[in-house]
Amino acid sequence: MWLDRLSSQSASASSLSPLQNKSHPSATRRPSHLSPKPAARTPFSPRSSSLSLASKVNASTSSLTGASRAPNGSTLKNQVSPPGDFDDPLAILSSIVGSSLPKDNTNVDHFERDGILTKPERLVVDVSFNGSSLQEFVQNSYDEQEQEVNGSTYYRSEPVEEYDQEKDKFEDLHSSILACDDVLKSVELSLTSFQKDLGLVSAEIETLQNRSMALNTKLENRKVVDKLLGPAVEEISISPVTVGTISEGQIDENWLKALSELEKRSKVVENKIRGSATIRAAKDIKPLLDDLIAKAVERIRDFLVAQIKALRSPNINAQILQQQMFLRFKDIYGFLARHHPQLAEEISQAYINTMRWYYLNHFTRYRQALDKIALYTVDKSDSLGDGLPANKQSQRARDPINIGRRTDILRVSNQSAISSYLAEEDKTMHHMEVPFRNFNLALIDNVSAEYSFLTEFFHHASFNHVSRIFAEIFEPTFSLGQSLVKDLIENTFDCLGILLCVRLNQHSAFELQRRKVPVADGYVNGVNMLLWPRFQLSMDAYCESIRRFAAGLSTRSTTPALSFTGSSDPTRQSTAPHQLTQRFGQFIQSLLAISNEAGDDEPVSSSLRRLRGEYEAFLMKASKGVGSDGKKRERFLSNNYALILTIVADTEGKLAHEQKQHFEEMRDANREH
């Protein structure tokens, strides 16, 4: 019966106005005998999180839609509006209790008798649920009461006043239920709002997913396009770093790399434009590349002009500047020659004029220093027949027909020329081959260095072009060297000195050949053309001196014999070698010592034959002065030839062997039998 009242009160509470429902949660809740023990119930705070409440209350899902949760972004967008009316409080209470309450009144009919509610005979104040839910506990009570009814056991009627006393408890319980209903309503609203938020988030996630898929598609398409067009674009494009380096960067190795990249791109663009397929991008970038090339040409011009001006600085070493600046950046001149040939030719001519002045100026000063070296003079009076008197020979500091140690200049290991300062300060006497050697050593070294530089710096040019540049640079210097040779040999009759200069010139030719410098062959040949005629002219003077000496024999005395003892008695004329034989042998030995590697094609061989013929003619004429005895004359001739063989015995070479063989034959032919 009190359960029916509870049901009727719940039904009536559900029909209350919202204003009345809002006043109930503020009512003071008192303990009820029908409610669980206070220690077992967790207090609820309206300020607590709706999610925590939902985790504690099992009935939180009763007011939500029954549809199962779909995957993310599928159904959360379809928002479900909350119902207009709320669920029955009994349903909510049954969800709190844990089971559903009976909907029929069959089990409580025994509490009513004749339509009048009867009070139980006894009420239990302290109710023990024994671990059962409220519905199970009530059902068990119904069963026990039914058993008592069936067993003729009746409760004692309770007065209505006792129920009235318990009315506040039930009202308190009802108020608690309404408060729970309000809390669950707020939870439902929170969950509904959360569902809307999840829907929005899901929509945003789906939008982001669509955008991500679109971006991935674009990225894949871009990769495909980049793979196809990347190499083509890379071929004709040039980086801003390269442009900045060429326009404003310092000329160094990085600048050379940027210049190489620019030229590479320029060639590709030119090929693209000249090709059969018209490429618009190549035509668009062509003017930009032309402007950048023009800027590079301008900077190259300024750089090379500055380096050429530096060559005219006083006390500058051209070889150092060539190695450190010109050869280090040799590629820039090639770039200039390819893109602006006229300007490259002007720069080349400026370099030619500068180096022409440089070498001529330095070698002119060097020759002036060599001119201060004191040299021995050899004239006609020093030739074989003219220099024969003993009083004159004793006055000579050096005999011009005796080679002595002069051949050491051909074997010296020091291949460096004497400096200008030492040449000016040197006070000793030297022969003509000393200044000749030093000037040509310096010239050959500079010629080799310059030719090596020209071939490397103008590597794009042909050999004829490089040879022309070299000839223009060294033409005045070669003329200066040839004028030095002319001055040295013009008034001299030093056959040995001239022949030493010939050998030195040949060594220069061999050295140039070893260094692979063919451009100086003209200078070497020109010097030879100056030396050989002068050598033959000097040899002719020596032959003439012997003829003059032989001619003087017939005019000195009617006696055929030549007296060495001062006696005019023919019987006392000596068969000892003539004094001219001694000088002739020394001269022949000197010539053979210098020509140990000479061949038959040189003028030395023919000059020696002429000189030998003049000497033999003199000797035959001198033998007549020994006496009328043939054996004595033969002994005289044999002694002279033997002396010559003794002098030239140490000489080597093909020419020496030929001369020794001839004199042996002459000696043997006049030897006594």
Side-chain angles (χ1 to χ4, degrees), residues 377-507:
T377 58
V378 180
D379 51 18
K380 286 185 177 181
S381 63
D382 296 318
S383 54
L384 289 176
D386 297 334
L388 188 59
N391 55 355
K392 186 174 181 180
Q393 183 177 0
S394 61
Q395 295 176 358
R396 295 191 185 97
R398 283 183 176 269
D399 190 358
I401 64 173
N402 189 4
I403 191 64
R405 299 180 61 87
R406 292 175 67 178
T407 56
D408 293 344
I409 198 172
L410 300 176
R411 298 184 293 270
V412 64
S413 59
N414 185 13
Q415 296 298 323
S416 60
I418 187 173
S419 64
S420 300
Y421 174 76
L422 294 178
E424 293 174 353
E425 296 296 327
D426 192 1
K427 303 301 180 182
T428 58
M429 297 291 292
H430 297 279
H431 291 281
M432 59 175 295
E433 63 268 14
V434 173
F436 178 88
R437 174 183 179 272
N438 285 281
F439 184 89
N440 284 276
L441 276 179
L443 183 61
I444 295 304
D445 289 342
N446 283 271
V447 163
S448 301
E450 184 64 26
Y451 180 75
S452 176
F453 166 77
L454 291 177
T455 54
E456 190 171 357
F457 187 76
F458 298 98
H459 59 90
H460 61 282
S462 63
F463 172 76
N464 293 331
H465 182 72
V466 174
S467 299
R468 181 186 63 82
I469 295 176
F470 179 87
E472 291 184 21
I473 292 175
F474 277 94
E475 180 182 0
T477 306
F478 287 160
S479 299
L480 180 66
Q482 292 177 356
S483 67
L484 173 64
V485 176
K486 291 178 182 179
D487 293 341
L488 290 174
I489 66 175
E490 185 177 7
N491 298 318
T492 187
F493 289 88
D494 187 5
C495 293
L496 300 182
I498 296 173
L499 189 58
L500 284 173
C501 291
V502 170
R503 300 307 177 208
L504 290 172
N505 195 50
Q506 290 175 349
H507 288 182

Side-chain angles (χ1 to χ4, degrees), residues 215-431:
L215 291 176
N216 289 334
T217 303
K218 291 180 179 180
L219 179 60
E220 293 297 330
N221 295 336
R222 185 179 293 273
K223 288 181 179 180
V224 174
V225 173
D226 183 67
K227 185 177 180 180
L228 296 176
L229 298 181
V233 174
E234 182 67 22
E235 285 181 350
I236 63 175
S237 63
I238 188 168
S239 64
V241 177
T242 302
V243 176
T245 302
I246 294 176
S247 301
E248 301 176 357
Q250 184 179 1
I251 296 181
D252 52 9
E253 283 73 12
N254 294 329
W255 199 87
L256 291 178
K257 293 180 181 178
L259 188 67
S260 177
E261 182 179 355
L262 172 62
E263 188 169 20
K264 180 180 178 181
R265 298 293 187 271
S266 178
K267 290 181 180 179
V268 172
V269 171
E270 290 289 343
N271 295 332
K272 296 288 185 182
I273 294 176
R274 296 174 183 175
S276 58
T278 302
I279 300 178
R280 184 175 179 181
K283 293 183 178 180
D284 293 341
I285 201 175
K286 184 64 167 61
L288 301 178
L289 288 178
D290 292 340
D291 293 341
L292 191 58
I293 290 174
K295 182 64 176 179
V297 168
E298 179 183 354
R299 297 204 63 192
I300 291 172
R301 178 201 62 190
D302 297 340
F303 175 79
L304 292 178
V305 169
Q307 302 307 318
I308 293 174
K309 287 182 179 180
L311 291 173
R312 290 183 174 269
S313 302
N315 300 325
I316 192 69
N317 191 330
Q319 279 75 29
I320 294 178
L321 191 62
Q322 288 172 349
Q323 294 294 328
Q324 293 181 355
M325 301 305 297
F326 285 93
L327 292 182
R328 181 184 175 189
F329 304 106
K330 62 181 180 180
D331 294 335
I332 64 176
Y333 184 81
F335 180 88
L336 181 64
R338 287 187 292 271
H339 294 277
H340 205 306
Q342 181 180 358
L343 181 59
E345 185 65 25
E346 294 175 358
I347 295 293
S348 175
Q349 191 61 43
Y351 174 81
I352 291 172
N353 296 334
T354 300
M355 296 306 296
R356 181 188 184 99
W357 167 87
Y358 175 85
Y359 286 115
L360 180 60
N361 182 42
H362 283 72
F363 275 97
T364 300
R365 285 162 36 185
Y366 188 62
R367 181 190 170 177
Q368 292 173 356
L370 293 177
D371 289 341
K372 296 181 181 181
I373 296 178
L375 301 178
Y376 292 107
T377 58
V378 180
D379 51 18
K380 286 185 177 181
S381 63
D382 296 318
S383 54
L384 289 176
D386 297 334
L388 188 59
N391 55 355
K392 186 174 181 180
Q393 183 177 0
S394 61
Q395 295 176 358
R396 295 191 185 97
R398 283 183 176 269
D399 190 358
I401 64 173
N402 189 4
I403 191 64
R405 299 180 61 87
R406 292 175 67 178
T407 56
D408 293 344
I409 198 172
L410 300 176
R411 298 184 293 270
V412 64
S413 59
N414 185 13
Q415 296 298 323
S416 60
I418 187 173
S419 64
S420 300
Y421 174 76
L422 294 178
E424 293 174 353
E425 296 296 327
D426 192 1
K427 303 301 180 182
T428 58
M429 297 291 292
H430 297 279
H431 291 281

Side-chain angles (χ1 to χ4, degrees), residues 559-578:
T559 306
L562 186 61
S563 176
F564 293 101
T565 62
S567 175
S568 59
D569 186 3
T571 60
R572 300 184 62 183
Q573 294 295 328
S574 174
T575 59
H578 197 278

Side-chain angles (χ1 to χ4, degrees), residues 550-623:
L553 292 179
S554 60
T555 59
R556 289 176 189 173
S557 176
T558 57
T559 306
L562 186 61
S563 176
F564 293 101
T565 62
S567 175
S568 59
D569 186 3
T571 60
R572 300 184 62 183
Q573 294 295 328
S574 174
T575 59
H578 197 278
Q579 187 176 2
L580 183 60
T581 302
Q582 178 74 23
R583 289 177 58 79
F584 177 79
Q586 291 177 351
F587 183 69
I588 293 295
Q589 187 270 338
S590 299
L591 292 178
L592 295 177
I594 300 174
S595 305
N596 57 352
E597 296 179 358
D600 297 336
D601 56 343
E602 287 189 346
V604 178
S605 179
S606 60
S607 298
L608 277 176
R609 284 194 293 268
R610 291 200 317 271
L611 184 63
R612 187 181 66 193
E614 294 294 339
Y615 168 74
E616 290 177 354
F618 157 76
L619 201 59
M620 291 299 294
K621 190 174 183 178
S623 65

Side-chain angles (χ1 to χ4, degrees), residues 150-168:
N150 295 332
S152 301
T153 303
Y154 298 95
Y155 287 101
R156 182 178 55 86
S157 297
E158 299 286 342
V160 179
E161 291 78 5
E162 293 183 4
Y163 289 97
D164 292 336
Q165 293 178 359
E166 299 294 333
K167 179 180 179 181
D168 293 338

